[in-house]
């Protein structure tokens, strides 16, 4: 039966204390992420019982309501029915926990509120870029008189399609979101920090402006300040995050101080002339240095270590919804190194729970459970694992553990072979397109991910199949008892049987 999205949204809002208790709401691939003004007013048990809700997780300072693949439609209904201002806060929250826990929860909540909305444009452009690389490889190189590929100034083969106007336009589309990534982050961060998102997006646009980028790598004199260095902010992640936060603080302060007659144009002016130069001269260099240090530190790790850690424990982070705290590291790796080895490992981990679900499905007898498992492992092939985790494997703890073992094996192999991605793309097996660089096919990157995915899925599926005892078989004794009682009742059908209640009360 189709789920009524409007009723689902109303029931969720009611169980969380009503629209007045919602400070903010965002969504990722499968979850509605609510930040509540006062968690005490939420009835989590009631929310878990709402038809259409897979599970509810309280983590990272959020109430995460797992919906599944239809979460965008439910999100729209939640925002419409609750008249909510989406990601921006609409009231003060009650502070709970110590300073450290509030800080960690706040960081996770902030990241989870900024990056998920950007994910789908990244996937779309990443898929297009991967498809174009495949087409280029099929069409081939430009050949000289001697039959050898014609090389460009850098010694790389020139593809036939490189001079096609159609291909140039499609290639420009595929790279747009990566070059202008600071603008998308700026808009999303502005909403999250309670600022005017158009102001923070304009700050990001200034940072990637061609005239400013043309100064990158040199030193200029800015208002008498010598040796004022300029960096290239295209595809960067951290600079715009910090500059958006600063702009939000300036806007909030001026909003409280300035009269309404002038604040609408004084606030943008002030943010632009303060934040952009500070980002170019101070915030940018510091954050980019930190980003490079982080990326270099990750590169220094032995290949097998991230494979084991991510392959084994990534889905545990997904259970609590805190995996978004690590996702930006992969984006940063691509921005600083041109490739990333973290993102492929997350897909390997996703296929481990998919394999565990597949192993369970092969043994299941109950038609309803079998249908749920079938939908889960098919969706899991494309990297969406929340329906699997909350609907199938987590309630069967041994099978969830078998998935972790599969992720350990697949992650180890993927790390040792050298799986890597050159862009954010689709999930699961679709992530194989992300392993194709602009220069074409790279066997190490492609086969590292492919073998890792197959190993993770296969090991988890086999172990899960071997260790799983079907629910219907587990309940066979109970089933026999029920059948015996039913037979006894049918034998007394001709008799009058009176049942007396031992309790007094009101049925609710």
């Amino acid at each position: 039966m189709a789920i009524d999205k409007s009723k689902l949204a109303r029931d969720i809002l009611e169980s969380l204390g009503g629209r007045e208790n919602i400070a903010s709401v965002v969504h990722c691939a499968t979850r509605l992420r609510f930040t509540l003004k006062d968690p005490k007013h939420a009835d989590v048990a009631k929310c878990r019982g709402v038809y259409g809700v897979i599970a509810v997780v309280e983590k990272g300072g959020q109430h995460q309501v797992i919906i599944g693949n239809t979460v965008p439609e439910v999100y729209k209904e939640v925002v419409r029915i609750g008249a909510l201002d989406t990601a921006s806060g609409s009231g003060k929250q009650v502070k709970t926990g110590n300073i450290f826990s509030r800080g960690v929860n706040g960081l996770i909540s902030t990241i989870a509120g900024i990056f998920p909305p950007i994910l789908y444009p990244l996937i779309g452009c990443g898929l297009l870029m991967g498809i174009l690389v495949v087409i280029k490889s099929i069409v081939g190189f430009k050949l000289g008189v001697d039959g050898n590929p014609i090389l460009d100034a850098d010694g790389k083969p020139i593809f036939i399609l490189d001079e096609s106007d159609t291909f140039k336009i499609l290639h420009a589309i595929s790279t747009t979101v990566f070059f202008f990534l600071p603008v998308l982050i700026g808009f999303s961060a502005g909403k999250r920090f309670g600022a005017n998102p158009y102001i923070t997006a304009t700050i990001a646009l200034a940072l990637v402006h061609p005239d400013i980028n043309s100064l990158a790598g040199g030193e200029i004199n800015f208002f008498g300040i010598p040796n004022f260095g300029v960096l290239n902010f295209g595809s960067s992640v951290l600079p715009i995050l910090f500059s958006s936060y600063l702009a939000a603080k300036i806007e909030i302060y001026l909003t409280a101080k300035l009269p309404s007659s002038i604040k609408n144009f004084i606030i943008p002016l002030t943010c632009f002339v303060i934040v952009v130069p500070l980002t170019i001269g101070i915030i940018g260099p510091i954050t980019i240095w930190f980003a490079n240090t982080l990326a270099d530190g990750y590169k220094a790790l032995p290949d097998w270590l991230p494979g084991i850690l991510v392959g084994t424990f990534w889905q545990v982070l997904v259970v609590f919804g805190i995996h978004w705290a690590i996702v930006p590291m992969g984006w940063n790796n691509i921005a600083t190194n041109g490739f990333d080895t973290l993102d492929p490992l997350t897909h390997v981990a996703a296929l481990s729970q998919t394999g565990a679900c597949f192993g369970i499905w092969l043994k299941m007898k109950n038609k309803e459970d079998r249908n749920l498992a079938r939908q889960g492992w098919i969706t899991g092939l494309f990297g969406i694992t929340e329906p699997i985790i909350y609907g199938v494997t987590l309630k069967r703890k041994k099978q969830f553990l078998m998935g972790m073992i599969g992720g350990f094996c697949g992650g180890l192999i993927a790390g040792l072979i050298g799986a890597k991605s050159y862009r954010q793309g689709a999930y699961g097996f679709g992530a194989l397109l992300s392993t194709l660089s602009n220069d074409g096919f790279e066997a190490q990157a492609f086969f590292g991910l492919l073998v890792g995915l197959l190993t993770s899925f296969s090991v988890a599926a086999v172990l899960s199949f071997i260790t799983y005892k079907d629910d219907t078989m587990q309940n066979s004794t109970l089933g026999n008892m029920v059948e015996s009682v039913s037979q006894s009742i049918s034998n007394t059908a001709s008799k009058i049987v009176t049942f007396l209640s031992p309790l007094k009360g009101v049925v609710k």
Side-chain angles (χ1 to χ4, degrees):
M1 186 177 79
I3 296 176
D4 186 339
K5 307 296 193 309
S6 297
K7 183 179 185 307
L8 175 57
R10 282 193 297 270
D11 291 344
I12 291 173
L13 286 173
E14 181 183 349
S15 65
L16 295 179
R19 62 177 297 274
E20 298 80 8
N21 196 37
I22 308 300
S24 66
V25 57
V26 293
H27 77 86
C28 54
T30 58
R31 309 173 189 231
L32 293 169
R33 294 171 173 266
F34 291 91
T35 301
L36 305 183
K37 296 177 184 176
D38 190 349
K40 293 180 181 178
H41 293 162
D43 188 342
V44 176
K46 181 178 179 180
C47 190
R48 289 194 176 105
V50 172
Y51 180 71
V53 172
I54 297 174
V56 179
V57 178
E58 299 175 74
K59 203 69 178 177
Q62 296 178 326
H63 282 63
Q64 304 168 24
V65 182
I66 294 91
I67 302 296
N69 295 331
T70 59
V71 70
E73 292 91 342
V74 180
Y75 170 78
K76 291 179 181 178
E77 289 301 306
V78 167
V79 172
R80 181 184 66 83
I81 294 172
L84 301 173
D85 190 17
T86 62
S88 61
S90 58
K92 294 184 178 180
Q93 299 171 239
V94 176
K95 295 183 178 180
T96 59
N98 56 46
I99 295 176
F100 177 78
S101 65
R102 290 204 303 268
V104 172
N105 290 340
L107 176 62
I108 295 173
S109 176
T110 298
I111 293 174
I114 292 173
F115 289 96
I118 308 170
L119 188 61
Y120 293 113
L122 276 171
I123 292 175
C125 286
L127 282 173
L128 178 58
M129 190 180 295
I131 292 170
L132 293 177
V133 171
V134 172
I135 293 174
K136 281 177 61 174
S137 301
I138 293 174
V139 173
F141 309 112
K142 292 185 67 175
L143 301 177
V145 179
D146 56 359
N148 294 320
I150 300 176
L151 306 180
D152 60 15
D154 297 325
K156 297 179 181 179
I158 300 175
F159 287 90
I160 294 175
L161 287 178
D162 282 349
E163 297 178 1
S164 164
D165 291 337
T166 301
F167 185 84
K168 289 178 181 178
I169 291 173
L170 292 175
H171 184 263
I173 295 172
S174 71
T175 58
T176 297
V177 72
F178 301 99
F179 183 80
F180 292 104
L181 183 60
V183 180
L184 295 179
I185 294 176
F187 187 86
S188 187
K191 295 177 68 176
R192 180 62 190 173
F193 293 138
N196 182 335
Y198 296 97
I199 292 178
T200 51
T202 303
I203 291 172
L205 284 167
L207 296 177
V208 297
H209 194 286
D211 289 347
I212 292 181
N213 273 339
S214 66
L215 301 174
E219 294 181 348
I220 63 174
N221 187 303
F222 183 76
F223 277 104
I225 304 174
N227 303 324
F228 198 83
V230 179
L231 302 172
N232 189 328
F233 293 99
S235 303
S236 63
V237 176
L238 293 183
I240 189 59
L241 283 177
F242 284 87
S243 59
S244 296
Y245 181 77
L246 176 60
K249 291 301 181 182
I250 292 174
E251 180 180 345
I252 292 171
Y253 175 79
L254 293 180
T255 299
K257 299 294 182 180
L258 294 177
S260 58
S261 59
I262 63 172
K263 66 182 180 182
N264 287 336
F265 55 88
I266 292 297
I267 289 176
L269 173 64
T270 305
C271 288
F272 296 153
V273 298
I274 291 179
V275 176
V276 174
L278 279 177
T279 303
I280 293 174
I282 299 176
I283 297 175
I286 292 175
T287 54
I288 288 181
W289 169 84
F290 178 77
N292 290 335
T293 302
L294 196 64
D296 292 340
Y298 179 81
K299 282 173 58 179
L301 296 174
D303 295 335
W304 54 268
L305 183 57
I308 289 177
L309 294 177
V310 177
T312 306
F313 297 106
W314 183 257
Q315 292 298 295
V316 177
L317 299 180
V318 172
V319 169
F320 297 105
I322 58 177
H323 56 297
W324 275 106
I326 302 176
V327 168
M329 184 183 293
W331 299 15
N332 178 67
N333 288 338
I334 293 177
T336 55
N337 299 325
F339 65 90
D340 174 41
T341 59
L342 175 64
D343 181 66
L345 299 175
T346 66
H347 304 303
V348 170
L351 263 293
S352 67
Q353 290 301 317
T354 305
C357 182
F358 181 77
I360 295 172
W361 173 75
L362 291 175
K363 256 186 173 179
M364 277 182 165
K365 305 297 182 184
N366 182 277
K367 184 177 180 181
E368 184 177 343
D369 288 345
R370 185 175 171 83
N371 184 54
L372 177 64
R374 178 181 57 81
Q375 294 177 9
W377 70 258
I378 291 175
T379 304
L381 294 176
F382 301 96
I384 305 299
T385 57
E386 276 90 340
I388 292 175
I389 293 173
Y390 296 105
V392 182
T393 59
L394 196 59
K395 62 176 65 175
R396 302 166 175 88
K397 296 180 176 61
K398 185 181 293 185
Q399 273 54 56
F400 185 82
L401 179 60
M402 296 304 106
M404 293 178 65
I405 295 174
F408 172 92
C409 298
L412 175 61
I413 291 176
L416 289 175
I417 295 178
K420 64 176 69 171
S421 61
Y422 291 91
R423 64 194 65 86
Q424 294 290 326
Y427 299 150
F429 281 102
L432 290 168
L433 284 175
S434 301
T435 65
L436 305 176
S437 70
N438 291 332
D439 296 329
F441 177 79
E442 184 181 323
Q444 187 180 21
F446 180 85
F447 286 110
L449 178 56
L450 178 61
V451 175
L453 292 171
L454 292 175
T455 301
S456 179
F457 181 90
S458 302
V459 171
V462 171
L463 292 177
S464 183
F465 181 83
I466 293 173
T467 60
Y468 177 64
K469 187 175 182 181
D470 188 65
D471 293 346
T472 56
M473 291 188 287
Q474 292 175 359
N475 295 330
S476 59
T477 303
L478 178 61
N480 293 335
M481 292 173 60
V482 172
E483 184 178 352
S484 176
V485 172
S486 300
Q487 185 64 37
S488 299
I489 293 175
S490 64
N491 292 336
T492 60
S494 59
K495 302 178 182 179
I496 298 176
V497 181
T498 303
F499 293 93
L500 300 177
S501 173
L503 302 174
K504 292 183 179 180
V506 179
V507 177
K508 292 186 178 181

